[in-house]
Amino acid sequence: MKIYINGDYFEKEDAKISVYDHGLLYGDGVFEGIRAYNGKIFKLREHVERLYESAKAIHLRVPIPLEQMEKDIRATLKVNQLANAYIRVIITRGVGNLGLNPFTCGTPQVIIINDLISLYPEDLYEKGLEIVTVATRRNLSESLSPRVKSLNYLNNILAKIEGLNAGCEEAIMLNSYGMVAECTGDNIFIVKNGEVLTPASSMGILEGVTRNVVIEIARRLGYKVKETTLTRHDLFVADECFLTGTAAEVIPVIKIDGRPVSDGKPGKITRKLIKEFRTLAGL
Ligand code: PMP
């Protein structure tokens, strides 16, 4: 597999950047995770726009224009002759000294990695996931906005560790006010009385591309969708629950903090949304 770094391609073993890059020293940079299904890159424009917005928010100038980035992402996929892939795009602050000052850094490094996706095991899409709420709160929006998909994922990693220690692959993070925000790498939805509900972006979440696609699909299917405030109580009494994300796609949740969601089986609307999502992605 070839890795793109600043317009050149390297074998995996030779794809290297400096240990003085602030992406490594301070997690100073941004990234995206994108999927290609059957040769078509899913929602490329949306992902690249979010990447450039994340960069702008941290005062990082992407060294190539957005249209060039799209071209290079497509070209990398071609070089690797992949029809189905997970695409990781990374922009680091670049090489600096050991001080924090990002303005001392050289050119930001642009990296594109293609890999094969490792989804949750297929049977979980049939049976559904068990998840727990963890104590680690989502970053305060006023400190490090969850809307920035930055290379500093420690907030999510600490929550993930708590989830794994509790025997769960994914974990619910609350915001600093105790409202449901999102999972460590996925957005969360519930269904209640036929309505589809998800935390509003003002709750301090990464506004997922998959989340927005699922909202569109649900509305097209005639469901009322509300971006709102959700508490753990709302999750406990939900009729259905599911998660969305580029890697996970749409996956049902059947147990939250030990409580079965409804009858403990993936819900009807969830299954409909999974089917529609797969059709839209070209699966
Ligand atoms: N929230 C977080 C914290 C994430 O890391 C991700 C995955 N990138 C998501 C939500 C889902 O976003 P998307 O659908 O754009 O992959």
Side-chain angles (χ1 to χ4, degrees), residues 31-34 47 50 86 88 138 146 149 153 156 170 173 182-188 205-212 244-249:
F31 76 102
E32 269 301 319
I34 312 171
H47 280 287
R50 187 172 66 185
Y86 178 82
R88 174 63 58 92
R138 195 71 177 99
K149 198 164 168 59
Y153 248 54
N156 312 60
E170 198 33 304
M173 302 179 78
E182 61 181 332
C183 290
T184 67
D186 298 302
N187 291 113
I188 187 164
I205 60 167
L206 180 78
E207 206 180 304
V209 170
T210 322
R211 169 190 183 274
N212 292 345
T244 64
T246 293
E249 302 172 340

Coordinates of all heavy atoms in Angstrom, one line a residue, residues 31-34 47 50 86 88 138 146 149 153 156 170 173 182-188 205-212 244-249, ligand 1:
F31 N -7.6 15.9 11.0 CA -7.7 14.7 10.2 C -9.1 14.4 9.8 O -10.0 15.0 10.3 CB -7.0 13.5 10.8 CG -7.9 12.8 11.9 CD1 -8.6 11.6 11.6 CD2 -8.0 13.3 13.2 CE1 -9.4 11.0 12.6 CE2 -8.7 12.7 14.2 CZ -9.4 11.6 13.9
E32 N -9.2 13.5 8.8 CA -10.5 13.0 8.4 C -10.5 11.5 8.1 O -9.4 11.0 7.8 CB -11.0 13.6 7.0 CG -11.8 14.9 7.2 CD -13.1 14.8 8.0 OE1 -13.8 13.8 7.8 OE2 -13.4 15.7 8.8
G33 N -11.6 10.8 8.3 CA -11.8 9.4 8.0 C -12.9 9.4 6.9 O -14.0 9.9 7.2
I34 N -12.6 8.8 5.8 CA -13.5 8.8 4.7 C -13.6 7.3 4.1 O -12.6 6.5 4.3 CB -13.0 9.7 3.5 CG1 -12.6 11.1 4.1 CG2 -14.0 9.9 2.4 CD1 -11.8 12.0 3.1
H47 N -16.6 15.7 3.7 CA -15.4 15.4 4.5 C -14.3 16.4 4.4 O -13.7 16.8 5.3 CB -14.9 14.0 4.2 CG -15.7 12.9 4.9 ND1 -15.6 12.6 6.2 CD2 -16.6 12.0 4.4 CE1 -16.4 11.6 6.5 NE2 -17.0 11.2 5.4
R50 N -15.1 19.6 5.9 CA -15.0 19.6 7.4 C -13.5 19.7 7.8 O -13.1 20.3 8.7 CB -15.6 18.3 8.0 CG -15.6 18.3 9.5 CD -16.4 17.2 10.1 NE -15.8 15.9 9.8 CZ -16.4 14.7 10.1 NH1 -17.5 14.7 10.7 NH2 -15.8 13.6 9.8
Y86 N -10.8 2.5 3.5 CA -10.9 3.5 4.5 C -9.8 4.5 4.1 O -8.6 4.1 3.9 CB -10.7 2.9 5.9 CG -10.8 4.0 7.0 CD1 -12.0 4.5 7.5 CD2 -9.6 4.5 7.5 CE1 -12.0 5.4 8.4 CE2 -9.6 5.5 8.5 CZ -10.9 5.9 9.0 OH -10.9 6.9 9.9
R88 N -7.6 7.8 5.3 CA -7.3 8.7 6.4 C -6.5 9.9 5.9 O -5.4 9.7 5.2 CB -6.5 7.9 7.4 CG -5.9 8.7 8.6 CD -7.0 9.3 9.5 NE -7.9 8.4 10.1 CZ -7.7 7.8 11.3 NH1 -6.7 8.1 12.0 NH2 -8.7 7.0 11.7
R138 N -17.1 14.9 27.6 CA -16.6 15.4 26.3 C -16.0 16.8 26.6 O -16.5 17.5 27.4 CB -17.8 15.5 25.4 CG -17.4 15.7 23.9 CD -16.9 14.5 23.3 NE -16.5 14.6 21.9 CZ -15.3 14.9 21.4 NH1 -14.3 15.0 22.3 NH2 -15.1 15.0 20.1
P146 N -15.4 20.1 20.1 CA -15.5 18.8 19.5 C -15.8 18.9 18.0 O -15.7 17.9 17.3 CB -16.7 18.2 20.3 CG -16.7 18.9 21.6 CD -16.3 20.3 21.3
K149 N -12.0 18.2 14.2 CA -11.5 16.8 14.2 C -10.0 16.9 14.3 O -9.3 16.8 13.3 CB -12.0 16.1 13.0 CG -12.0 14.6 13.1 CD -12.9 14.0 12.0 CE -12.6 12.5 11.9 NZ -12.9 11.7 13.1
Y153 N -6.9 13.3 20.3 CA -8.1 12.5 20.6 C -8.0 11.9 22.0 O -8.7 10.9 22.3 CB -8.2 11.4 19.5 CG -9.4 11.6 18.6 CD1 -9.6 12.9 18.0 CD2 -10.4 10.7 18.5 CE1 -10.7 13.1 17.2 CE2 -11.5 10.9 17.7 CZ -11.7 12.1 17.0 OH -12.8 12.4 16.2
N156 N -11.3 11.3 23.8 CA -12.1 10.2 23.3 C -11.4 8.9 23.8 O -12.0 7.9 24.1 CB -12.2 10.2 21.8 CG -12.7 11.6 21.3 OD1 -12.0 12.6 21.6 ND2 -13.8 11.6 20.7
E170 N -18.0 0.5 22.5 CA -18.2 2.0 22.4 C -18.8 2.5 23.7 O -19.3 1.7 24.5 CB -19.2 2.1 21.2 CG -19.3 3.5 20.5 CD -18.1 4.4 20.4 OE1 -17.6 4.8 21.5 OE2 -17.8 4.9 19.4
M173 N -20.5 9.5 25.9 CA -19.9 10.6 26.6 C -20.9 11.7 26.8 O -21.7 12.1 25.9 CB -18.7 11.2 25.8 CG -17.6 10.2 25.5 SD -16.3 10.9 24.5 CE -15.4 11.7 25.8
E182 N -22.1 12.4 22.6 CA -21.9 11.4 21.5 C -21.1 10.3 22.0 O -20.8 10.2 23.2 CB -21.1 12.1 20.4 CG -19.8 12.7 20.8 CD -19.0 13.4 19.6 OE1 -19.3 13.0 18.5 OE2 -18.2 14.3 19.9
C183 N -20.7 9.4 21.2 CA -19.8 8.3 21.6 C -18.4 8.6 21.3 O -18.1 9.7 20.7 CB -20.3 7.0 21.0 SG -21.9 6.4 21.7
T184 N -17.4 7.7 21.6 CA -16.0 8.1 21.4 C -15.6 8.3 20.0 O -14.7 9.1 19.7 CB -15.1 7.0 22.1 OG1 -15.2 5.8 21.3 CG2 -15.5 6.7 23.5
G185 N -16.3 7.6 19.1 CA -16.0 7.8 17.6 C -17.2 7.7 16.8 O -17.1 7.4 15.6
D186 N -18.4 7.9 17.4 CA -19.7 7.8 16.7 C -20.7 8.7 17.2 O -20.6 9.1 18.4 CB -20.3 6.3 16.8 CG -19.4 5.3 16.3 OD1 -19.1 5.3 15.1 OD2 -19.0 4.4 17.0
N187 N -21.6 9.1 16.4 CA -22.8 9.9 16.9 C -23.9 9.0 17.4 O -23.9 7.8 17.0 CB -23.3 10.9 15.8 CG -22.3 12.0 15.5 OD1 -21.7 12.1 14.4 ND2 -22.1 12.9 16.5
I188 N -24.7 9.5 18.2 CA -25.8 8.6 18.8 C -27.2 9.2 18.5 O -27.4 10.4 18.4 CB -25.6 8.5 20.3 CG1 -26.6 7.5 20.9 CG2 -25.7 9.8 21.1 CD1 -26.2 7.0 22.3
I205 N -20.5 18.2 20.1 CA -20.3 17.0 19.4 C -19.5 17.3 18.1 O -19.5 18.4 17.6 CB -21.6 16.2 19.0 CG1 -22.4 17.1 18.0 CG2 -22.3 15.9 20.2 CD1 -23.6 16.4 17.4
L206 N -18.9 16.2 17.5 CA -18.4 16.3 16.2 C -19.7 16.1 15.3 O -20.4 15.1 15.5 CB -17.4 15.2 15.9 CG -16.9 15.3 14.4 CD1 -15.8 16.4 14.3 CD2 -16.2 14.0 14.0
E207 N -19.9 17.1 14.4 CA -21.1 16.9 13.6 C -20.8 15.9 12.5 O -20.2 16.3 11.5 CB -21.5 18.3 13.0 CG -22.9 18.4 12.7 CD -23.3 19.7 12.1 OE1 -23.0 20.7 12.8 OE2 -23.8 19.8 11.0
G208 N -21.1 14.7 12.7 CA -20.7 13.6 11.8 C -21.3 13.7 10.4 O -22.5 14.1 10.3
V209 N -20.6 13.3 9.4 CA -21.0 13.3 8.1 C -22.1 12.2 7.9 O -23.2 12.4 7.3 CB -19.9 13.0 7.1 CG1 -20.4 12.8 5.7 CG2 -18.9 14.2 7.1
T210 N -21.9 11.1 8.6 CA -22.9 10.0 8.6 C -24.1 10.4 9.3 O -25.2 10.1 8.8 CB -22.3 8.7 9.2 OG1 -20.9 8.6 8.9 CG2 -23.0 7.5 8.8
R211 N -24.0 11.1 10.4 CA -25.1 11.7 11.1 C -26.0 12.5 10.2 O -27.2 12.3 10.2 CB -24.6 12.5 12.3 CG -25.6 13.4 13.0 CD -24.9 14.3 14.0 NE -25.7 15.1 14.8 CZ -26.3 16.3 14.4 NH1 -26.0 16.8 13.2 NH2 -27.0 17.0 15.2
N212 N -25.4 13.4 9.5 CA -26.2 14.3 8.6 C -26.8 13.5 7.5 O -27.9 13.8 7.1 CB -25.3 15.4 8.1 CG -24.9 16.4 9.2 OD1 -25.4 16.3 10.3 ND2 -23.8 17.2 9.0
T244 N -23.9 6.2 14.5 CA -23.5 6.5 13.1 C -22.1 6.9 13.1 O -21.6 7.6 14.0 CB -24.4 7.6 12.5 OG1 -24.2 8.8 13.2 CG2 -25.9 7.2 12.5
G245 N -21.4 6.5 12.1 CA -20.0 7.0 11.9 C -19.4 6.4 10.6 O -20.0 5.4 10.1
T246 N -18.4 7.0 10.1 CA -17.8 6.6 8.9 C -17.3 5.2 8.9 O -17.6 4.4 8.0 CB -16.6 7.5 8.5 OG1 -17.1 8.8 8.3 CG2 -15.8 7.0 7.3
A247 N -16.7 4.8 10.0 CA -16.2 3.4 10.1 C -17.4 2.5 10.5 O -17.6 1.4 9.9 CB -15.1 3.3 11.2
A248 N -18.2 2.9 11.4 CA -19.3 2.0 11.9 C -20.5 2.0 11.0 O -21.3 1.0 11.0 CB -19.8 2.5 13.3
E249 N -20.7 3.0 10.1 CA -21.9 3.2 9.3 C -23.1 3.4 10.2 O -23.0 4.3 11.0 CB -22.1 2.0 8.3 CG -20.9 1.8 7.4 CD -20.9 0.6 6.6 OE1 -21.7 -0.4 6.9 OE2 -20.2 0.5 5.5
Ligands
PMP1 N1 -17.9 11.7 16.8 C1 -16.6 11.5 16.9 C2 -15.9 11.9 18.1 C3 -15.9 10.8 15.8 O1 -14.6 10.6 15.9 C4 -16.6 10.4 14.7 C5 -15.9 9.7 13.6 N2 -15.0 10.4 12.9 C6 -18.0 10.7 14.6 C7 -18.6 11.3 15.7 C8 -18.7 10.3 13.4 O2 -18.5 11.2 12.3 P1 -18.5 10.8 10.8 O3 -19.9 10.2 10.6 O4 -18.2 12.0 10.1 O5 -17.5 9.7 10.6

